Structures are given as structure tokens and as C-alpha cells.
Amino acid sequence: MARYIIKRILLAIPVLIGATFLVFTILFFTPSDPARMILGSSATEEAIEAMNEELGINDPFFVRYFNYMKGLVQGDMGRSYRNNSSVSETIAGRLGNTLILASAGMLFAIIIGIPVGILSAVKQYSKIDNATMFITLFLTAVPTFWYALILVIIFALKLHWLPASGMGVGLVPLLKSLILPTITLGSGYAAMIARTTRSSVLEVIRQDYIDTARAKGVSEKTVIWKHMLKNALIPIVTVVGLNFGSLLGGSVLTETIFSWPGVGRYVVDSISYRDTNAVLGSVVTLTILFTIVNLAVDIIYALIDPRIKSQYAVKRRKKHAQSENAV
Amino acid sequence: MGKILEIHDLKVCFHTEDGTVHALNNVDLTLEDGITLGLVGETGAGKTTLAKSIMRLIPSPPGKIENGEIIYDGKNILELSDTDIMSIRGQEISMIFQDPMSSLNPVITVGDQIAEVIQVHNKDLDKKEVFNRACEMLEMVGISADRAFDYPHQFSGGMKQRVVIAMALACNPRILIADEPTTALDVTIQAQVLEMMRELKQKFNTATLLITHDLGVVAQMCEKVAIMYAGEIVESGTVHDIFNNTLHPYTEGLLGAIPKIHLHEKRLQPIEGLMPDPMDMPKGCIFCDRCKYATERCKNEHPQITNVGGEHTVRCFLRQDEKGGEE
């Protein structure tokens, strides 16, 4: 197991380097003039030239990339062109908020999606199944901004149960302010997880080992939760992992609607100011998070399915091959 | 010897979108204590459906047991509550499925899979005791106990089938249903597994329903035989009756299709034609389209199963007339 994890971690390093290189390159070729932004439109050509020199903008591409990476490894993402604040510090302050929202959204999606998917599969073609499939299709298709506004109108404006926007301070206000963005963010993913779970469980449900388990006299509940779910989990974990990654960066819309102080909103604001350093820092941070989530998914695979783990346990396998030949 | 399982007039249908499949029609079968009954028939004859009906594992919908009764120990299995049937499965009647490759759960260790059946039926035993018993079962089928922590993919086909057998016999059941236990194995492993099954049967005095399409296996393993064709039992009796005093034209065809070692035959003698469409059964004898002795009567009238002396029964007008049997 340790061998598998180490291998996965080592594989994540080139992925990170490649991803940062790609992001850096794209932003390098995006037209922007940070010196003029910092000094204002009345600055002289000489002042701008001096500023460019100071910011290192006149350096060749690879030198700039190298300098950026050197800073990045030390946790320094440069300074915002907009207000000269440290990008790393700003992101660090906002990342927690984004993580809270993304985790809550995904947790909501998992708690709703998996049981609904199982129920739907076990009662295939029943009324419950049809209703579930209709609702999930609806939730996947409905646009976030519309859905969020409807929720705000009902629960904040009409019923006054929950705040319409902002992030509450203290546990109870925080949880209260979290509910609407969580539902907005999680519903679509819940629907997607429900559909994946359904099809994955349906594939497992007809397998011989399910009948074997029933023939042992095991209760239907154990058959579903122990024998079916663990086998059906790989596609579900994949969907959860991939979507958690996109949830981190993709909650921009939700963060904007609910004025949630997360990284997503920071990116959007920075883009409109052409604040290259801030955009670069945010995207790189999200890339790193995405890679970490993928790493976690890979490790969870191995925990679920011994066949995946054993591909890496070379020594053990050899030992078994020998004992098998001996029998 | 006492009758341990009696099946009367069993009728099982599968209701599909394309029509109703008549999988079993008016099946009568008796299993006696400590006896091995061979159930022989070609693919699609309804052997597995019969086995699953006894375990009450017919998936419903689309399957439905329309008629008949299965009497085990004075109780009709078809009328038992779900809890009662669960306590019978695995403990009093257990089943070995056809394909050992797919009948073990790939994500649970074999030790735990064997332990599960013991734990379910012996709730008062603690985990350690249960696991020790599971290891004993493994040893009994010739697998060393330290492999209990391995997963199914680390075993060969023959060893997996041994694990399945260990699982089926773990609670010392009174009836073992073996659904083509050796079909998926190669010939040398087949012989090993059959030999082991025979030894274990003698040791535990388990009544066995051995489903197969291999008459050689029947001759080697069984005391009694029932021949099944298109969802009906067409002939049954002792091994001697069936092999030396063959009555039904279908049985005759089956025996004729075995190559004989003392004759230099270039080609096998197949039974011409195909089984009738189970959605559209002929109204006369189900075998009449392929029978070389068929008369007008066979095409219009459905023969009943008739005793022709001793335990020998047959479902054929021609032979009944010859033997002067009574209905």
C-alpha cells in the first residue's frame, strides 16, 4: 500500500509542473500592461519602462517562468498588480472559504446522491425509479443562477429563514449562511452522483456473487450495503473526485451570487482587472488542489478494490504465484 | 430413506416485454436423504431456474413462480416469510453456482466470505471463533489456512471453486445444490473437484442436487437421475434405469451423442433440431419436433409423466404404451 501511495505522489509531481507551465504560458501570451496599471495612465514612458524592468516583465519567457517557480516553491506567488497585496496571503485567506463551500456542496451531493441512486437501482423501472430519474435530469439541466435566485426568493425573501448572501461569522450563522449556497452548488452534483450510482449498482446487481451472498442467507440490507456498494463504488468515487476538482474552481457563479468570499470570486475580479499575478496564483492553487483530490481518489481506489492495489504489490504477488503453483 | 425435498407441479414464468417465457412447467422432483440426484439437460432447459426456485432466488420481476409447491422438512418453501427463508439459505440448503470466477465477491477476502455464512447462522459465536472455523473449512477443501486473507483474484479457477464449496458446506447443510460446479473448469481440475465433493458428501451425508449436462459426471457421482427438456422433466429414475433401460427418445438421443471409445466414430451423433421457443411452446409433446418416433397423437396431445415400474418415470406416449404403464 505504501508503495502504491508513494508511486502516486511521485506521479503527481510532473503533473503539477506541466499544469503550472501551461497556465503560465497561456497568461504570458495574454495581452496586459501591468506597469501602466500600477502607475496610472499619466505615467511617463520612462517610468513605465523602469517599472517593467523592476517587475521583470522584460525578461525572456523561460527566465520569468523560472523566477515564478522559484517563488512558488517558497510559497510566494508575487504581488497583485491591482493593490500590491501579496497574492499568496490573499488566496490563503480565501481558500478556506472556498474549501468549506465546496466540501459542504460535495457532502450534500454524496449524502443525497448515493442512497437515491441505490434505491433507484434496486427498484428499477418502478415509480420511484422513474420519479428519481426525472428529478435528477431536471436538477442536472437547470441553470445555477436561476435555481439560486429561486431559492433566495423563497427561503430568504419570502420566508426569512436564511440569509440571502454573505458568509456568517460564528458556527451557527456560518452554517445558516452555508445552506443555500450548498444546495445550489450540490444539487446538480447530487443528481449526477445518483445517476452514476444507479447505473453502477445495476451493473453489479446481476452479478453471480450477489446471488451467492443471498444464497448464504445474508439479509437484503447487507447484500446491498456490503456486497453491492463496495463493488459499485469505483465509478462513483471517480465522479465524486473529478467533480470535487471542478467544484473548487467552478463555484465561481455560486460564490458571486451569494457574495461568498472565496477564491472563485477573486479569480473573476482579478480577470476583469487584468491582474495577471492574481489570476496565475489562483489558477495554480486550484490546480494543486485538483491534483491532491485526484491523488486522494487514486488512493481510495486501492482501498476499495484489492485488484488495483495488487498491481503494485509486486513482491507479494510473486510469493503467491509460487504458493499457487505448489498447490 | 426419507424424502427431504419434494417439488410438486412447479411452474415458473418470466414476464418480459416480448412475451411470457415458460421456464418451468409442471416439474415434479423428489430428493432423498444422503442421495445425489443428477439433473441433466441441455442449455436453456430450465435447470438453473429450478435450482434458484428452491433457494427462492428467482429475480422478481420479471420471474414469477406461478404454481406448485416445494416442500422442505414439511414446510412449503414458497410460502415462508423472508426471515425464515434466510435462515434456511446457507444453513440447511446451500448452493454452488456455475462459474467460480464470478461467484466470489472480488473485494472481500475469501476468509471473510466463508466467515460471513458462519456468522449469519451462528450469531452467538464471536468473530475470532468464526474466522477459525472459516480457516478449518479452507483446510478441508485443501487450501492452506494462511490464504484466508487473500482476495479471489489471487486464486486459480479450481481453487475458487474449492472456496465456493467450502462456503456452501460451512454450516453443514442438509441439501447441497450444485449448479454445474465443474463446467467452467478444465478436465483434470474437474476430476479433483468432483472427487472432493464426493468425499465431503459421504462425510457429511448431504443430499445433493447435481445439475450438469455431462452424463459422464452423472454416471460417476449420482444414484438418481432426472432428465430435463424445455422446462419439463421427461424421464427420471435410478442411474441404472436411465443408462441401461433408456425409455424417452430424448434421453436416447443424449446417450447417443456421447462418443464411444470402442467404436471408431468419425462424427458425433447429435440430436437434430433445436429446443422449442419457450415463449411459444407446442401444444403436444414438447420433444415431438425432434423425435424420430413422433406420431399424430404426439403433435396434438401433451403426455403426462407416468411411472413405468420401480422409480422409473417417463413422459412419452410411445413408451408408456409399450410398458403398459398407468398414469
Side-chain angles (χ1 to χ4, degrees):
Chain A
M1 191 67 197
R3 194 190 170 89
Y4 175 83
I5 294 172
I6 291 167
K7 195 155 182 172
R8 289 282 123 186
I9 292 174
L10 289 178
L11 277 174
I13 294 172
V15 170
L16 276 176
I17 295 174
T20 47
F21 182 76
L22 217 65
V23 175
F24 188 88
T25 312
I26 292 168
L27 284 173
F28 179 84
F29 289 112
T30 317
S32 75
D33 196 352
R36 190 164 287 283
M37 214 179 88
I38 295 166
L39 297 172
S41 47
S42 58
T44 58
E45 282 301 318
E46 289 78 38
I48 286 175
E49 196 48 45
M51 195 62 175
N52 274 343
E53 199 60 44
E54 191 193 324
L55 292 172
I57 291 187
N58 292 336
D59 292 341
F61 172 75
F62 281 104
V63 175
R64 284 184 67 187
Y65 178 68
F66 181 76
N67 286 336
Y68 184 77
M69 286 307 281
K70 206 167 75 183
L72 185 66
V73 181
Q74 295 160 3
D76 178 17
M77 292 174 174
R79 299 205 154 259
S80 162
Y81 297 146
R82 201 174 358 151
N83 49 18
N84 206 25
S85 62
S86 159
V87 172
S88 317
E89 273 166 31
T90 315
I91 289 176
R94 287 170 166 259
L95 191 61
N97 302 340
T98 293
L99 279 177
I100 289 175
L101 182 57
S103 309
M106 195 37 91
L107 200 68
F108 173 78
I110 291 170
I111 289 173
I112 303 284
I114 291 182
V116 166
I118 291 175
L119 184 72
S120 203
V122 173
K123 308 233 180 257
Q124 196 191 4
Y125 300 138
S126 67
K127 278 180 188 141
I128 297 176
D129 182 30
N130 291 337
T132 318
M133 284 305 102
F134 176 77
I135 294 169
T136 51
L137 190 64
F138 176 79
L139 286 178
T140 320
V142 73
T144 314
F145 58 86
W146 179 83
Y147 185 53
L149 292 178
I150 296 293
L151 286 177
V152 168
I153 290 172
I154 296 174
F155 292 101
L157 300 182
K158 293 257 188 260
L159 298 170
H160 298 289
W161 287 355
L162 300 163
S165 69
M167 184 176 168
V169 181
L171 188 64
V172 176
L174 172 67
L175 289 179
K176 264 183 126 175
S177 65
L178 198 55
I179 293 176
L180 287 184
T182 301
I183 295 174
T184 308
L185 200 56
S187 297
Y189 294 108
M192 203 186 300
I193 290 172
R195 292 184 149 254
T196 313
T197 308
R198 179 179 181 268
S199 66
S200 180
V201 168
L202 280 178
E203 221 162 90
V204 171
I205 215 167
R206 305 255 178 268
Q207 296 288 332
D208 285 350
Y209 54 78
I210 298 301
D211 268 343
T212 309
R214 290 204 181 103
K216 287 199 271 190
V218 173
S219 71
E220 199 58 28
K221 220 169 77 189
T222 316
V223 170
I224 291 170
W225 290 100
K226 182 172 167 189
H227 292 268
M228 276 184 205
L229 188 59
K230 209 174 171 200
N231 279 287
L233 221 47
I234 293 269
I236 302 172
V237 171
T238 311
V239 168
V240 170
L242 283 178
N243 286 312
F244 193 71
S246 56
L247 231 160
L248 288 167
S251 51
V252 177
L253 210 52
T254 314
E255 284 183 3
T256 311
I257 293 171
F258 290 98
S259 318
W260 193 266
V263 179
R265 257 183 74 208
Y266 185 57
V267 182
V268 175
D269 293 349
S270 305
I271 289 173
S272 58
Y273 282 103
R274 292 183 186 278
D275 189 348
T276 326
N277 256 356
V279 175
L280 189 57
S282 313
V283 176
V284 166
T285 310
L286 294 176
T287 312
I288 293 170
L289 276 178
F290 194 83
T291 313
I292 293 172
V293 170
N294 267 316
L295 180 69
V297 166
D298 278 343
I299 291 169
I300 293 171
Y301 279 166
L303 290 177
I304 297 171
D305 196 330
R307 287 166 295 188
I308 293 174
K309 190 166 68 185
S310 70
Q311 287 171 7
Y312 292 87
V314 183
K315 274 182 194 161
R316 265 174 72 79
R317 198 173 49 186
K318 268 185 191 155
K319 198 185 88 192
H320 283 310
Q322 280 164 6
S323 65
E324 209 160 284
N325 288 339
V327 168
Chain B
M1 259 176 281
K3 291 173 181 173
I4 184 166
L5 188 79
E6 283 180 86
I7 301 172
H8 294 300
D9 211 17
L10 187 67
K11 186 170 160 68
V12 177
C13 291
F14 288 91
H15 299 282
T16 67
E17 276 178 18
D18 301 327
T20 303
V21 176
H22 299 276
L24 290 180
N25 292 309
N26 312 359
V27 169
D28 292 278
L29 199 70
T30 307
L31 189 61
E32 286 152 37
D33 244 338
I35 288 286
T36 300
L37 172 70
L39 187 62
V40 184
E42 64 195 274
T43 306
K47 305 178 303 265
T48 303
T49 306
L50 178 59
K52 286 192 174 176
S53 307
I54 299 172
M55 298 295 282
R56 240 175 67 187
L57 285 175
I58 300 282
S60 167
K64 190 163 187 280
I65 298 176
E66 307 252 297
N67 188 26
E69 50 184 18
I70 299 174
I71 308 289
Y72 165 75
D73 212 15
K75 293 167 286 194
N76 186 356
I77 285 184
L78 302 180
E79 286 167 1
L80 290 178
S81 70
D82 284 349
T83 336
D84 288 342
I85 188 73
M86 277 194 289
S87 71
I88 286 181
R89 286 178 191 158
Q91 175 160 252
E92 305 197 21
I93 308 178
S94 59
M95 185 160 174
I96 299 171
F97 290 90
Q98 190 165 346
D99 186 359
M101 305 299 165
S102 59
S103 54
L104 289 172
N105 194 327
V107 300
I108 303 177
T109 63
V110 297
D112 284 343
Q113 292 193 53
I114 300 172
E116 187 179 30
V117 63
I118 301 171
Q119 185 79 71
V120 163
H121 297 295
N122 300 284
K123 295 216 162 65
D124 47 321
L125 286 181
D126 67 61
K127 277 208 163 122
K128 210 171 165 222
E129 236 171 305
V130 167
F131 198 76
N132 287 342
R133 271 183 62 183
C135 291
E136 280 169 32
M137 288 310 296
L138 268 184
E139 295 270 355
M140 203 179 71
V141 294
I143 297 172
S144 89
D146 58 354
R147 299 214 52 193
F149 299 100
D150 284 347
Y151 289 93
H153 71 274
Q154 292 164 315
F155 290 84
S156 66
M159 289 175 89
K160 274 186 214 172
Q161 194 63 305
R162 283 161 189 267
V163 172
V164 174
I165 292 171
M167 212 155 71
L169 294 177
C171 288
N172 200 358
R174 292 175 67 193
I175 301 176
L176 175 66
I177 301 170
D179 185 5
E180 308 202 22
T182 56
T183 306
L185 307 175
D186 65 62
V187 184
T188 47
I189 306 295
Q190 261 185 35
Q192 279 179 22
V193 169
L194 287 174
E195 185 55 36
M196 192 187 73
M197 280 180 64
R198 194 158 53 180
E199 277 168 22
L200 294 173
K201 188 199 115 192
Q202 273 161 5
K203 195 166 153 194
F204 294 111
N205 196 31
T206 316
T208 310
L209 178 64
L210 180 66
I211 297 172
T212 179
H213 50 239
D214 187 340
L215 285 163
V217 171
V218 170
Q220 188 189 349
M221 300 281 292
C222 304
E223 285 93 6
K224 301 272 176 65
V225 189
I227 309 286
M228 203 164 183
Y229 180 77
E232 291 184 358
I233 305 271
V234 292
E235 186 171 4
S236 71
T238 61
V239 172
H240 179 81
D241 288 335
I242 302 295
F243 281 83
N244 299 340
N245 189 14
T246 314
L247 289 182
H248 199 280
Y250 178 62
T251 318
E252 205 174 272
L254 280 183
L255 289 167
I258 303 173
K260 286 161 197 70
I261 204 156
H262 58 278
L263 298 175
H264 288 283
E265 280 171 305
K266 290 240 164 65
R267 283 189 169 276
L268 294 174
Q269 293 289 318
I271 308 173
E272 296 294 337
L274 291 169
M275 249 193 334
D277 181 359
M279 285 196 205
D280 182 26
M281 288 292 195
K283 77 172 180 192
C285 172
I286 46 167
F287 189 60
C288 69
D289 287 344
R290 298 168 81 180
C291 180
K292 50 188 171 188
Y293 312 109
T295 62
E296 247 343 271
R297 190 187 176 195
C298 300
K299 290 200 173 81
N300 296 317
E301 224 180 298
H302 191 79
Q304 293 303 310
I305 194 124
T306 316
N307 194 308
V308 288
E311 291 177 57
H312 201 168
T313 62
V314 67
R315 196 190 280 274
C316 178
F317 291 125
L318 200 74
R319 306 304 184 194
Q320 285 160 13
D321 292 345
E322 275 172 22
K323 291 275 172 182
E326 287 163 24
E327 288 190 13

